[in-house]
Amino acid sequence: MKLSFLSAALVSIGLVCSQAHASVEQLGLSHSYQASTPTVTDTLGYPVGSRISSPEQIYTYFQALAEAHPEQIKLRYYGESWEGRPLFYAIISSAKNIAQLDDFEANMQRLADPRQTSEREAKQLIESMPASVWLSYGVHGNEISSPEAGMLTAYHLLASPNAETSEYLENTVVFIDPLQNPDGRARFVSRYYMTVGLEHSADRISAEHNEPWPNGRSNHYLFDLNRDWLALTQPEIAGQVEALLNYYPLLFIDLHEMGGDMSYYFTPEARPYNPLITESQRESLWKIGENNGRWFDQEGYDYFTREIFDAFYPGYGASWPLFHGTLAATYEMASARGHKFRTVDGDILTYGDGVQRHFIASLATIETAAERRQALLQDFWNYRSMAIELGEKADDRVRIIADQKDPAAARKIAGLLRRHGVDVMASDAQFKACGKTYPAGSYIVDSAQPAHFMVRVLLDQQIDMAADFLAEQEQLRANNLPDQIYDVTAWSLPLMFNVETDACDKLPRVAMSAVSSDLIDAGQVINPTAKVGFIVPWGDMNAGRFLAAALRQGLTIKRTDLAFTHANGQRYPAGSLILTKAENGEELASTVVQLAQSTGAKVVGVDSSWVTDGPNFGSVNVKKLHAPNVAIAWDEPFSSLSAGHSRFVIEQQMGYPTTAIRPQQLARSDLSHYQVLIIPAAWGNISAAFGEAGVENIRNWVNRGGVLITMGTATQWAIDSDLLASAREKSAEQKSEPSHGSEKRVAGKIFHDHAELAHYIEADNPDPYWTSGVLARAEVDQDHWLSAGVKDEVISIAVGNHIYRPLTIDHGRNIVSFAAADRVVASGYLWAENQQQLAHKPLLMWQPASKGMVIAFTQDPNYRAYFDGLNVLLMNAIFGGAAHATPLR
Ligand SMILES: [Zn+2]
């Protein structure tokens, strides 16, 4: 590979930032680049790498490229961001490959499915098809250099007439998604240029280098999009996944930025390894890294591999594609977080430096794809074939999802699996499998399919880290050193949705139909011409969405605190909704039919209000629901993730609006317009943000009938503010040594062995050991309106080190408590002493306060918006809480 012309062209980008009269295009153009390709300067008026381009500018540039080279580049759209910006990718290849793009897509689908394609056909495809590589830039909006590198890479591929580039494009179809998170980038760019003075500051304490809340990393709903590849709740990732499943690119690279004092990271990845990533995949990733290393050596760039950034969790962009047989990896560049940044060594890192390195890494990767074309296609075919064989042999070959108690969640899992590229069937009739009988409509997933690994990584209850890795972690802890487990160690979809699944070793003999990717089935109304009214059985999100929509339409709705049996013989669970014609008028029937259709609810019309067991419609145990105005505390010091996730779940999954309010206004304003206030988790000091008067304002509001809901670590603030009579626990580990004290002269002490020393230097009175996220079982007290319609057992995240003392019965109720130590871990890895201490501790507490109440979740139920199994509980807290509070109305 001859790099000389490139080096000359590109080393200059770094200069561009300080001397705005030189640019890569101008320097390289006269002898290397063809003039017919528009440069960034031509289109946007400034040299590439000299300004942090806005999303609109990036889009404009790609449109200019597409207009100039219609035979070599196509733009495709996969959606729209929440703020209305286009989500798109470019396909770049030789004119011949672009002309045959439809064939390429169809051929890749054939190669991806050995059930439809013979070995011989596959051989022909492998010999003749181009390889493919998908480069995704800028998923974190404040990791700024990679989208600019996406523009430069596209420019280079189209403008360079040299033989190497032509060869790449003959052998490879290159997909470039330059802007995975346009809303986050827009937030960063607008704020950055707002803070710049006469000169751009390189100082890490300058306003340029410190983003206000919320920073540009996340999207509009403040999600970390690089955790959304499991639940696919955000358009930026859901749309990208749909596009990837059209082409099954052989390589997928997610290009990020990291701390500005580091160098550059690329594959191979760090431990712990996900055991569902194959040895062959790991070897190929190694080769991608090796070729990157060669290019970086030529340019004289530092880099590192393997030490950080693991792919254990499948919810990252750089891990999800691996489970379809794509080679996926993350690249990370030291971030200038602006035009320039002074490193700890005193060097100046520029924006252009980042653009350059990401560009070189992009080209190196494209070269790997081109040079290994046939081997990569062969590996992909082998992977998809082996996946089917593994499924055929597995004891748990067939997964059956048939949850009678929560059909909404079962339907959502089935639709979600389809969106992940997994084939899912529904039985046309009742059937028997492995000794159990299942009703018609049960979902069946045969893991003997090319997406076998995706089935397992999403549905398996437990995925283990290697025993030697775990032993090392325990050793580190024993030596008072931090462990290396990152993020979460569990994510099983059925657990997070709290849906039961079964496994069987063979396919049941029953007629089946393919399932669509819809997440909600249309609901139905039984007896729509009912004389008296309608009942909606409570317990799943179909009913939940119905409730939110009905309240927004201004309907009068009652909710029962106790289960009852209607004269028609049907039993309805606590929480069930009652809508009468007497209160809603004759047009109620048509409204209910339309609401059932859109929300998925199953509604039963009744011709009489007669109840044979449990409360009648007019009982004190049947409460009128008032449409509450829901506020969410917003801005510093709250976790933007917790605030954003809460807002998203309530607005987009339940369908109910919220109002975001900053602490200053919460502290000073009359809050009587609001009936529910949600305090998201926070790492900072909530008490300081509210001030004493603010806490007093909120306490008065609660006493006058407000429903205060705390999420995760915000529960500690409720305790500190005397709103909740619980306490946060220290570690339960008993120390044999007395406290060290802070004396400057102490009595002499003899250590007999190293263990005594290790014990002695432990901190006094430590918090429980910090844990990465696991899935924890919790038991539900069924005898309270807050648990109406909720299953006996729920699954929650357990992350961090907050463990709380239960409420005593004179103060309130512990509605949901973690299970016993031997059962508490449903999935993941939790330190033994945390299992002991977490057991029987509260997940959800309820404490009445005068006319209002405090409802405290000790872990965030909206974590990443993927604990669907906790949504009914949250709806009970918001809508049931507002119904049970007694403000002056
Ligand atoms: Zn990132």
Side-chain angles (χ1 to χ4, degrees):
M1 174 70 219
K2 285 176 232 118
L3 274 176
S4 51
F5 83 94
L6 266 181
S7 311
L10 297 168
V11 167
S12 63
I13 327 182
L15 298 174
V16 167
C17 301
S18 44
Q19 301 168 16
H21 47 75
S23 84
V24 58
E25 306 100 314
Q26 287 156 1
L27 282 168
L29 197 61
S30 56
H31 55 96
S32 297
Y33 290 104
Q34 62 191 30
S36 59
T37 309
T39 64
V40 170
T41 310
D42 296 338
T43 312
L44 302 176
Y46 53 86
V48 67
S50 71
R51 254 189 94 80
I52 309 163
S53 299
S54 70
E56 287 69 26
Q57 287 168 320
I58 293 171
Y59 182 45
T60 301
Y61 183 61
F62 272 89
Q63 283 177 312
L65 289 178
E67 214 163 283
H69 292 285
E71 74 297 342
Q72 269 199 280
I73 169 172
K74 297 281 174 219
L75 299 191
R76 294 269 192 274
Y77 298 86
Y78 62 87
E80 203 175 70
S81 71
W82 292 110
E83 292 172 18
R85 296 185 173 87
L87 300 167
F88 70 98
Y89 56 96
I91 313 174
I92 300 175
S93 196
S94 66
K96 178 172 164 248
N97 288 336
I98 291 293
Q100 298 171 355
L101 208 51
D102 290 346
D103 289 344
F104 169 77
E105 186 178 339
N107 288 340
M108 216 47 219
Q109 290 290 336
R110 288 164 65 202
L111 198 65
D113 195 348
R115 295 170 302 184
Q116 315 288 337
T117 309
S118 71
E119 196 80 44
R120 238 188 79 179
E121 283 173 284
K123 195 163 169 267
Q124 283 170 351
L125 290 172
I126 291 163
E127 274 166 16
S128 61
M129 279 187 78
S132 52
V133 50
W134 184 294
L135 303 165
S136 266
Y137 300 89
V139 72
H140 294 135
N142 59 2
E143 298 176 3
I144 44 183
S145 63
S146 76
E148 211 85 18
M151 299 201 289
L152 186 54
T153 304
Y155 170 77
H156 176 84
L157 292 176
L158 294 168
S160 164
N162 100 339
E164 273 97 7
T165 312
S166 308
E167 226 177 287
Y168 297 164
L169 296 185
E170 273 158 36
N171 284 304
T172 317
V173 178
V174 180
F175 296 86
I176 291 182
D177 181 340
L179 203 54
Q180 295 179 77
N181 178 8
D183 293 351
R185 186 176 179 90
R187 191 182 313 137
F188 180 92
V189 172
S190 133
R191 192 279 319 165
Y192 178 80
Y193 285 111
M194 232 165 68
T195 48
V196 174
L198 183 60
E199 288 182 4
H200 292 262
S201 175
D203 191 347
R204 65 184 73 209
I205 65 167
S206 66
E208 283 98 316
H209 287 279
N210 290 278
E211 296 174 71
W213 195 103
N215 66 29
R217 179 181 172 91
S218 53
N219 75 342
H220 174 80
Y221 269 108
L222 310 186
F223 274 59
D224 183 337
L225 294 176
N226 199 30
R227 303 291 184 278
D228 195 48
W229 291 73
L230 266 178
L232 308 181
T233 62
Q234 304 300 303
E236 293 90 343
I237 301 304
Q240 201 176 164
V241 159
E242 202 183 336
L244 287 174
L245 292 171
N246 290 333
Y247 303 105
Y248 291 102
L250 301 172
L251 267 56
F252 176 96
I253 309 296
D254 203 11
L255 292 96
H256 292 251
E257 284 187 347
M258 58 188 166
D261 294 316
M262 301 172 89
S263 61
Y264 195 99
Y265 164 85
F266 47 73
T267 186
E269 83 270 33
R271 291 187 309 156
Y273 299 142
N274 188 310
L276 296 174
I277 299 170
T278 68
E279 206 48 52
S280 153
Q281 287 183 302
R282 236 173 231 123
E283 283 166 19
S284 290
L285 286 168
W286 189 282
K287 291 197 176 91
I288 295 173
E290 268 183 315
N291 198 42
N292 287 357
R294 264 197 299 278
W295 281 65
F296 272 53
D297 283 346
Q298 244 155 334
E299 298 297 325
Y301 299 157
D302 272 348
Y303 64 89
F304 70 96
T305 62
R306 290 168 287 113
E307 286 164 280
I308 37 177
F309 304 113
D310 69 79
F312 186 68
Y313 171 69
Y316 304 131
S319 50
W320 181 89
L322 283 158
F323 306 100
H324 270 302
T326 292
L327 299 172
T330 185
Y331 293 176
E332 302 268 353
M333 170 63 201
S335 182
R337 247 351 154 254
H339 278 219
K340 50 186 180 173
F341 176 77
R342 187 177 299 108
T343 68
V344 279
D345 294 323
D347 300 328
I348 297 295
L349 175 72
T350 68
Y351 180 56
D353 291 334
V355 177
Q356 244 176 321
R357 281 157 182 75
H358 271 324
F359 169 61
I360 291 297
S362 300
L363 284 193
T365 308
I366 293 166
E367 182 182 72
T368 304
E371 288 182 349
R372 304 199 63 235
R373 182 193 70 79
Q374 202 159 336
L376 290 169
L377 286 162
Q378 184 71 53
D379 286 352
F380 179 71
W381 166 258
N382 294 348
Y383 178 97
R384 306 282 291 186
S385 308
M386 180 253 307
I388 299 170
E389 284 165 30
L390 277 178
E392 282 167 351
K393 285 184 224 143
D395 292 341
D396 54 0
R397 167 177 175 168
V398 177
R399 315 297 174 94
I400 301 165
I401 306 166
D403 197 303
Q404 300 300 301
K405 233 186 149 182
D406 194 343
R411 179 66 186 96
K412 191 169 167 186
I413 289 196
L416 197 50
L417 286 168
R418 292 285 300 117
R419 292 178 184 204
H420 278 286
V422 171
D423 292 339
V424 183
M425 309 297 280
S427 69
D428 293 341
Q430 178 180 298
F431 66 94
K432 264 193 184 158
C434 288
K436 243 175 115 174
T437 305
Y438 296 91
S442 298
Y443 301 110
I444 298 167
V445 183
D446 182 2
S447 76
Q449 60 172 295
H452 170 78
F453 289 96
M454 190 57 82
V455 172
R456 287 182 60 187
V457 86
L458 295 173
L459 297 184
D460 279 5
Q461 180 159 337
Q462 174 73 20
I463 293 179
D464 286 322
M465 292 176 277
D468 62 333
F469 175 80
L470 288 175
E472 276 174 43
Q473 305 314 306
E474 294 290 4
Q475 189 56 46
L476 286 170
R477 292 199 319 130
N479 293 335
N480 294 305
L481 293 168
D483 67 88
Q484 301 161 324
I485 301 175
Y486 178 64
D487 203 65
V488 299
T489 58
W491 52 77
S492 165
L493 278 183
L495 286 176
M496 295 195 301
F497 282 44
N498 207 15
V499 162
E500 271 182 42
T501 61
D502 292 323
C504 189
D505 60 356
K506 50 184 173 297
L507 263 183
R509 258 177 281 163
V510 63
M512 299 182 223
S513 321
V515 167
S516 79
S517 61
D518 295 341
L519 302 180
I520 303 171
D521 275 334
Q524 65 174 123
V525 180
I526 297 164
N527 186 20
T529 56
K531 292 193 190 92
V532 168
F534 299 90
I535 304 174
V536 186
W538 190 243
D540 73 359
M541 275 304 279
N542 290 334
R545 281 184 294 266
F546 181 98
L547 169 59
L551 285 174
R552 285 185 80 189
Q553 293 215 2
L555 296 183
T556 298
I557 309 163
K558 287 188 281 211
R559 172 188 141 112
T560 174
D561 286 347
L562 304 171
F564 68 88
T565 305
H566 185 261
N568 66 12
Q570 197 172 336
R571 183 87 179 153
Y572 292 96
S576 294
L577 311 174
I578 299 161
L579 299 90
T580 63
K581 282 190 168 178
E583 286 173 310
N584 288 290
E586 276 304 313
E587 64 280 17
L588 177 65
S590 61
T591 313
V592 162
V593 167
Q594 169 254 316
L595 287 177
Q597 185 74 23
S598 61
T599 61
K602 194 176 161 189
V603 183
V604 183
V606 287
D607 296 317
S608 140
S609 66
W610 194 249
V611 165
T612 56
D613 179 55
N616 291 97
F617 294 1
S619 159
V620 288
N621 288 309
V622 174
K623 296 268 186 293
K624 187 175 169 185
L625 291 169
H626 301 270
N629 292 321
V630 179
I632 297 182
W634 203 248
D635 209 332
E636 296 279 6
F638 301 104
S639 152
S640 60
L641 295 172
S642 179
H645 295 161
S646 294
R647 194 176 204 188
F648 173 80
V649 168
I650 297 167
E651 294 195 345
Q652 299 295 336
Q653 295 195 330
M654 298 176 184
Y656 201 77
T658 65
T659 304
I661 305 182
R662 297 197 165 85
Q664 263 198 344
Q665 280 71 39
L666 286 174
R668 293 179 191 161
S669 309
D670 174 2
L671 301 176
S672 58
H673 179 64
Y674 296 93
Q675 288 72 47
V676 175
L677 169 59
I678 293 170
I679 308 288
W683 298 114
N685 186 336
I686 305 177
S687 299
F690 286 142
E692 263 178 53
V695 172
E696 195 55 33
N697 191 38
I698 292 171
R699 192 182 296 118
N700 288 336
W701 170 81
V702 170
N703 288 332
R704 286 197 301 264
V707 178
L708 183 74
I709 302 177
T710 61
M711 300 297 186
T713 57
T715 293
Q716 185 179 358
W717 163 77
I719 293 164
D720 294 345
S721 307
D722 294 326
L723 287 155
L724 186 70
S726 173
R728 188 180 157 208
E729 295 188 354
K730 295 280 189 183
S731 169
E733 296 275 88
Q734 287 301 311
K735 292 196 167 296
S736 51
E737 294 287 336
S739 167
H740 307 208
S742 55
E743 304 86 27
K744 305 292 182 216
R745 290 290 299 251
V746 295
K749 171 152 184 68
I750 293 166
F751 295 129
H752 297 94
D753 55 28
H754 194 271
E756 272 188 44
L757 167 66
H759 187 65
Y760 188 79
I761 62 172
E762 280 173 22
D764 283 333
N765 245 340
D767 289 330
Y769 200 89
W770 205 94
T771 176
S772 294
V774 302
L775 304 183
R777 285 195 186 87
E779 290 159 358
V780 180
D781 173 355
Q782 291 287 310
D783 192 21
H784 196 272
W785 56 261
L786 200 45
S787 61
V790 179
K791 292 178 181 173
D792 295 346
E793 195 167 272
V794 292
I795 305 286
S796 163
I797 189 82
V799 64
N801 58 4
H802 280 223
I803 299 176
Y804 293 88
R805 192 172 69 190
L807 288 175
T808 53
I809 48 169
D810 51 330
H811 285 108
R813 296 272 292 271
N814 305 290
I815 306 294
V816 186
S817 306
F818 287 105
D822 59 341
R823 294 196 67 245
V824 70
V825 179
S827 179
Y829 188 78
L830 183 63
W831 319 109
E833 76 266 25
N834 289 52
Q835 293 181 31
Q836 293 293 332
Q837 195 175 341
L838 193 59
H840 307 298
K841 298 293 162 56
L843 171 64
L844 177 63
M845 294 177 272
W846 169 79
Q847 181 171 322
S850 191
K851 295 181 162 65
M853 68 191 74
V854 177
I855 296 172
F857 287 90
T858 62
Q859 293 281 338
D860 192 340
N862 300 316
Y863 190 81
R864 295 180 186 170
Y866 56 39
F867 284 88
D868 277 49
L870 296 175
N871 280 353
V872 173
L873 205 52
L874 182 60
M875 290 207 87
N876 286 344
I878 294 171
F879 299 100
H884 280 83
T886 53
L888 287 175
R889 298 190 206 269

